[in-house]
Amino acid sequence: MDVFTDPENLDAFVSGFVWILKLTGASAVCALVIGVLLAAMRVSPVPVLRVFGAAWVNIFRNTPLTLVVFFCYFGLYATLGLSLSQELDVNIYWLGVIGLSTYTAAFVCEAVRSGINTVPTGQAEAARAIGLSFAQTLRIVVLPQAARSVIAPFGSILIALCKNATIVGTIGLVEASSVMKDLLNSYGNAVILIFLVFAGTFAALLIPTGYFFGWLANRLAVKR
Amino acid sequence: MATGEPLIVLDSVNKWFGPLHVLDDVSLSVGRGEVVVVIGPSGSGKSTLCRTINRLEPINSGTITFDGQALPAEGKALAKLRSEVGMVFQSFNLFAHKTILENVTLGPIKVRKEKPAAARERGLALLDRVGIANQADKYPAQLSGGQQQRAAIARALAMQPKAMLFDEPTSALDPEMVGEVLDVMTSLARDGMTMVVVTHEMGFARHAANRVIFMADGKLVEDAAPTEFFANPRSERAKDFLSKILTH
């Protein structure tokens, strides 16, 4: 039977990409929240927070994601006993989300920080001059203006995150790239076809994502 | 005119930017209702002086007292002090993503916790006072420089400040727009607002100021009534400065 007409293979294909989408979705939300908090720490007037933010970025931006994800499995789960679900699949999924969001947050932080730097210092000075606190200044005045220049880099980070999600396959989640590897093993005569179908599916998911973020960035471009 | 205890007191204030001594033992007091104009060549430290009063620039030594209290170093107390001192910048610094009215009501709503409807009503009245009530729903980039600066003055006034600081408010404006901003400032001065104004507008210094401060190289060189200062500057530095700007 042909590789992509076998319903069993088709199910594996679909569930592989569903895992990828779930990993991407949950990690994107966590990474966004953590990344923005880290960026706030890095520009805060409190030295301890600045050091913490800088340390996070330097550690996780400069460590291969494979190592981070391995640590989540072998370190957090196998050694330290952190178990997030009774179900094996779901446990690995959440460990993967921890690894991906920890790692991606470092990149989100730097994108947000460079966005903050595009907002003229006068904006923050004016905000402080009317008595807004540091947090209010950031939340009400600086971040909304930074967001507009951060949208486009966010698109790239999200795309990278989605592709990076395949690394969770290395700790045993049967996501898209693991499914592909299995199919390659069983269907040696259809290697090129299998590659093309998987690559094509990723591209079909991600190319519109890139265009969407580009469109959003243009729409929100700041007027000065 | 100055009455009672002074509102702003600087005592032996020193500040360095690296090796540059930008404020060199500056002492100054500004009485309630007094209008003090600070002039001097560029790089003389006059903008820095203005910015130290609400601690946008921290100082290295000396003390600054506002309304009988030493300037708080940071946190809530500093934010509260800043809310009582209005500041107008050379480059307006209106919040680019907010409408003119939102710019004016932001402080009252977020800092003073006023009801939005009340803040809005007062904001519109202030915009009317500075003559741009019809621009309330536009964004800063849609306004002329003069209109933006008047909006910035309204934004500062919305906090009902005890004093107003003006850091070269007309230096970034086209010449035909300088007048409209100075008119607003003159009317504020006439209404008894305490003002510290860093400016190159000698006309404003002559007719609206109670005192003129002349600064050079980080030092406060002269402190005199405007008529006296312009007619008889005592220092060579001030004579030289005035001869350069008044002969054209």
Side-chain angles (χ1 to χ4, degrees):
Chain A
M1 200 185 244
D2 224 342
V3 50
F4 287 109
T5 49
D6 184 336
E8 211 173 295
N9 291 351
L10 218 53
D11 278 355
F13 171 84
V14 170
S15 94
F17 273 100
V18 168
W19 277 126
I20 291 289
L21 291 178
K22 281 182 170 176
L23 284 166
T24 307
S27 307
V29 172
C30 296
L32 183 65
V33 172
I34 301 171
V36 171
L37 287 176
L38 287 172
M41 288 180 184
R42 291 206 73 173
V43 298
S44 87
V46 184
V48 183
L49 295 180
R50 283 205 302 269
V51 169
F52 179 84
W56 184 303
V57 168
N58 282 321
I59 292 170
F60 292 107
R61 200 171 54 158
N62 299 305
T63 308
L65 177 58
T66 319
L67 263 67
V68 177
V69 169
F70 267 35
F71 178 80
C72 290
Y73 186 83
F74 293 105
L76 293 183
Y77 170 61
T79 309
L80 300 172
L82 177 72
S83 180
L84 297 159
S85 168
Q86 297 298 323
E87 275 178 71
L88 189 65
D89 266 10
V90 180
N91 186 36
I92 295 176
Y93 164 74
W94 282 113
L95 290 168
V97 169
I98 292 177
L100 286 170
S101 19
T102 309
Y103 174 86
T104 308
F107 293 88
V108 171
C109 167
E110 289 307 272
V112 172
R113 199 163 66 103
S114 77
I116 288 175
N117 288 336
T118 65
V119 180
T121 46
Q123 294 285 310
E125 281 186 350
R128 288 185 322 186
I130 56 170
L132 294 180
S133 66
F134 170 77
Q136 286 178 315
T137 300
L138 207 56
R139 189 166 50 81
I140 303 170
V141 175
V142 177
L143 284 179
Q145 296 186 62
R148 299 167 189 201
S149 57
V150 166
I151 297 285
F154 269 4
S156 303
I157 292 173
L158 185 68
I159 288 171
L161 170 63
C162 179
K163 298 188 292 179
N164 287 341
T166 56
I167 286 182
V168 182
T170 60
I171 58 171
L173 189 70
V174 191
E175 46 63 58
S177 73
S178 306
V179 173
M180 184 183 82
K181 206 174 66 188
D182 293 346
L183 292 180
L184 288 176
N185 283 333
S186 320
Y187 296 86
N189 57 342
V191 168
I192 303 290
L193 175 70
I194 293 170
F195 266 121
L196 287 178
V197 167
F198 277 86
T201 309
F202 269 108
L205 289 172
L206 295 179
I207 290 173
T209 308
Y211 277 105
F212 172 72
F213 275 88
W215 170 80
L216 203 61
N218 278 334
R219 238 186 87 102
L220 298 176
V222 67
K223 296 182 215 71
R224 282 204 192 285
Chain B
M1 264 296 158
T3 49
E5 68 176 49
L7 185 61
I8 304 167
V9 181
L10 285 77
D11 188 24
S12 317
V13 168
N14 280 286
K15 180 176 177 64
W16 284 267
F17 282 130
L20 190 67
H21 202 169
V22 277
L23 292 179
D24 186 349
D25 202 33
V26 173
S27 296
L28 168 71
S29 78
V30 180
R32 286 169 206 277
E34 205 177 12
V35 176
V36 173
V37 166
V38 185
I39 62 174
S42 62
S44 60
K46 52 193 194 303
S47 275
T48 310
L49 175 77
C50 184
R51 290 161 57 87
T52 58
I53 296 171
N54 66 354
R55 216 168 192 283
L56 280 181
E57 296 286 356
I59 56 176
N60 296 108
S61 72
T63 54
I64 300 178
T65 335
F66 182 82
D67 202 11
Q69 263 191 318
L71 283 202
E74 55 190 24
K76 282 213 176 77
L78 178 59
K80 183 169 184 304
L81 172 121
R82 283 177 175 151
S83 73
E84 292 172 351
V85 184
M87 177 129 195
V88 176
F89 300 86
Q90 181 176 352
S91 48
F92 330 134
N93 296 349
L94 290 171
F95 305 130
H97 62 309
K98 302 246 178 230
T99 65
I100 297 304
L101 183 60
E102 286 168 346
N103 264 274
V104 176
T105 56
L106 183 71
I109 294 171
K110 297 292 177 182
V111 178
R112 293 277 158 75
K113 314 292 179 199
E114 278 179 33
K115 294 229 164 56
R120 200 185 136 80
E121 197 176 315
R122 222 157 46 74
L124 282 170
L126 280 167
L127 288 178
D128 190 42
R129 176 173 174 190
V130 300
I132 48 169
N134 54 344
Q135 313 288 335
D137 295 321
K138 290 192 182 165
Y139 285 88
Q142 296 170 288
L143 268 60
S144 73
Q147 291 172 325
Q148 286 191 54
Q149 194 61 299
R150 285 185 281 155
I153 294 173
R155 174 176 68 180
L157 290 176
M159 300 303 289
Q160 296 167 314
K162 294 176 182 165
M164 290 276 286
L165 309 173
F166 292 85
D167 184 5
E168 302 204 26
T170 56
S171 300
L173 295 176
D174 289 342
E176 79 264 29
M177 291 168 185
V178 169
E180 63 195 48
V181 172
L182 291 179
D183 285 346
V184 171
M185 291 167 60
T186 308
S187 95
L188 265 181
R190 220 177 278 134
D191 292 349
M193 177 60 79
T194 308
M195 293 163 64
V196 174
V197 185
V198 174
T199 187
H200 294 293
E201 298 299 330
M202 297 304 145
F204 179 79
R206 274 178 203 276
H207 75 252
N210 301 118
R211 272 158 67 205
V212 172
I213 304 284
F214 177 75
M215 287 188 73
D217 305 319
K219 293 188 188 67
L220 201 158
V221 180
E222 291 202 31
D223 180 346
T227 42
E228 191 187 325
F229 175 77
F230 288 110
N232 293 308
R234 285 180 310 246
S235 65
E236 281 308 312
R237 199 71 184 76
K239 280 178 197 159
D240 181 51
F241 179 76
L242 286 176
S243 74
K244 277 176 187 150
I245 56 163
L246 295 178
T247 48
H248 293 290

